Amino acid sequence: MKLEEIQAPLNLKLVTKNTNTDREIRGGYASDLLSWVMAHAKENDLWITIQSHQNIVAVASLLNLAAIIIAENANIDDNTIEKAEQENIPIYSSDKSTYEICGILYNLLSKESG
Amino acid sequence: MLLEYPADFHVHTCLSPCASDDMTPINILNMAKLMGTKVLGICDHNSAGNIKAVLEIAQDFDILVIPGIEVQSVEEVHLLCLFEKENQVLEFQDYVYSALPPISNNPRYFGYQWLVDGKGNILGEENRMLLASTFLTVDEISQKVHELKGLLIPAHVDRRHFSIIGQLGFIPENLKIDAVEFSRATTKAELKATFDKINNHTLITSSDAHCLQDMVYQKTFLLLKSLNFKEVTMALRCVEGRRVLIRD
């Protein structure tokens, strides 16, 4: 499934400019502990977190994650957005909780893989 | 001539809910004296409520007390924030208090938060829940600490929880810090083997004492010309021969 296709069902707001949203999602990963994410998330995962420190961009970039969703409208630093634009990592904001986003995303991706 | 001064930058008082009730100023100072500790950082969680009492009682000891606070950032990172003077740490405390959630402590779950005098007589209880994250980011905390001419040291970076590496994956390159603390659960050699680039920072290790017997972990020594805050700062910055030695 393409990143662009999940924006509407998850009611996501794209907060970065000129980042690549035309990419395929393999799966999802949810955690706020960056050391844990670095060890466990996989390439092309969509990462859901409330952690918005700019280090999230480095982690996403390192693992080549598809995008980051910041749940529950958690505040995002300007530094983080700026860095994400430089590194071409899309960041979305959502008013839904991590739990809700994961549930919807899981269903969408499961349906696709049949 | 430079002399070696044993240092422990991270000791809690009975104000921290997770610390033992016998962590009173007089007990802490006497334990430090027994251990030969000469540089003693007092850092309670999100508060400097017992600092005045510790500084008063410290006048009877040949020990440099460095007043501080162990702040919990919005990213759930623990940071030691140390200052030269009482008024600086109190100004910093106002900043921290203004960023704490409006929740009262429940001693049944978290423990008592005793405000005491130097001898350990109870003056009251701190009602704010100190075991909470402030709304402050690590960058905001770094900026404020340095505005007040203090020292910023990420605490117990080797631990998974409440450490800057655990929470943020690695130490942000642009974050201004004065040293990095590792816990007594590891050694300098292990730390260097585990964490890339950690050696770019001055390393210290502290007891993070929550009870008196924790204070026996004395592994950090400072080479200083004399015993004062400026010399300690010079040691952390490796200036003019001043430096930090770790024996673990």
Side-chain angles (χ1 to χ4, degrees), chain B residues 160-181:
Chain B
R160 179 181 291 162
H161 299 295
F162 298 121
S163 86
I164 195 162
I165 297 177
Q167 300 298 126
L168 298 181
F170 55 94
I171 299 171
E173 266 178 33
N174 54 0
L175 183 68
K176 194 180 167 202
I177 55 175
D178 300 282
V180 164
E181 182 205 66

Side-chain angles (χ1 to χ4, degrees), chain B residues 28 31-32 35 38-39 62 87 92 97 105 130 196 205 212 215 218 247:
Chain B
I28 291 170
M31 191 65 184
M35 290 305 303
K38 291 291 177 188
V39 176
D62 180 26
N87 64 328
F92 185 68
Y97 278 178
N105 181 48
L130 298 179
D196 201 28
T205 180
L212 290 167
M215 289 175 70
Q218 181 73 78
R247 298 207 187 89

Side-chain angles (χ1 to χ4, degrees), chain A residues 1 6 10 16 18 22 50 59 63 72 76 80 86 90-91 95 97-98 108:
Chain A
M1 185 169 261
I6 57 114
L10 283 168
T16 48
N18 303 320
D22 179 33
I50 51 162
V59 171
L63 300 176
E72 294 192 57
I76 310 170
T80 305
Q86 282 166 18
I91 297 182
D95 55 358
S97 69
T98 299
L108 285 172

Side-chain angles (χ1 to χ4, degrees), chain B residues 41-244:
Chain B
I42 301 294
C43 296
D44 281 309
H45 293 291
N46 291 330
S47 178
N50 279 339
I51 285 298
K52 189 171 184 282
V54 177
L55 289 171
E56 268 170 22
I57 208 87
Q59 288 173 4
D60 303 333
F61 292 80
D62 180 26
I63 291 172
L64 173 70
V65 167
I66 304 186
I69 294 180
E70 183 179 21
V71 178
Q72 186 169 318
S73 75
V74 72
E75 303 93 350
E76 301 205 335
V77 171
H78 284 187
L79 300 159
L80 302 181
C81 306
L82 300 157
F83 300 90
E84 182 175 11
K85 297 195 174 82
E86 188 186 342
N87 64 328
Q88 292 165 325
V89 77
L90 292 180
E91 188 176 337
F92 185 68
Q93 178 182 249
D94 288 342
Y95 181 65
V96 172
Y97 278 178
S98 71
L100 274 178
I103 309 171
S104 297
N105 181 48
N106 186 335
R108 236 182 93 200
Y109 299 119
F110 301 109
Y112 286 100
Q113 300 181 155
W114 299 122
L115 293 162
V116 293
D117 67 11
K119 303 277 187 200
N121 298 305
I122 292 172
L123 302 176
E125 241 181 277
E126 175 54 58
N127 289 321
R128 295 175 182 87
M129 191 171 94
L130 298 179
L131 281 190
S133 288
T134 61
F135 309 132
L136 306 166
T137 65
V138 288
D139 295 287
E140 286 167 340
I141 292 165
S142 170
Q143 200 180 339
K144 187 71 180 180
V145 166
H146 292 115
E147 239 174 66
L148 292 168
K149 304 199 174 4
L151 299 168
L152 184 75
I153 306 176
H156 40 68
V157 298
D158 52 296
R159 284 175 34 188
R160 179 181 291 162
H161 299 295
F162 298 121
S163 86
I164 195 162
I165 297 177
Q167 300 298 126
L168 298 181
F170 55 94
I171 299 171
E173 266 178 33
N174 54 0
L175 183 68
K176 194 180 167 202
I177 55 175
D178 300 282
V180 164
E181 182 205 66
F182 61 94
S183 78
R184 57 179 192 251
T186 190
T187 64
K188 187 177 173 182
E190 279 172 0
L191 190 80
K192 279 161 61 171
T194 314
F195 301 107
D196 201 28
K197 292 186 187 167
I198 198 85
N199 222 21
N200 295 350
H201 303 282
T202 298
L203 301 175
I204 63 160
T205 180
S206 320
S207 68
D208 192 0
H210 283 68
C211 59
L212 290 167
Q213 54 267 40
D214 285 348
M215 289 175 70
V216 301
Y217 299 94
Q218 181 73 78
K219 300 173 182 174
T220 299
F221 302 83
L222 306 180
L223 271 179
L224 311 174
K225 204 167 174 184
S226 55
L227 190 57
N228 59 58
F229 185 81
K230 193 174 165 226
E231 285 281 323
V232 171
T233 304
M234 288 170 82
L236 295 182
R237 301 203 172 123
C238 300
V239 178
E240 292 171 31
R242 278 78 162 172
R243 61 197 169 92
V244 179

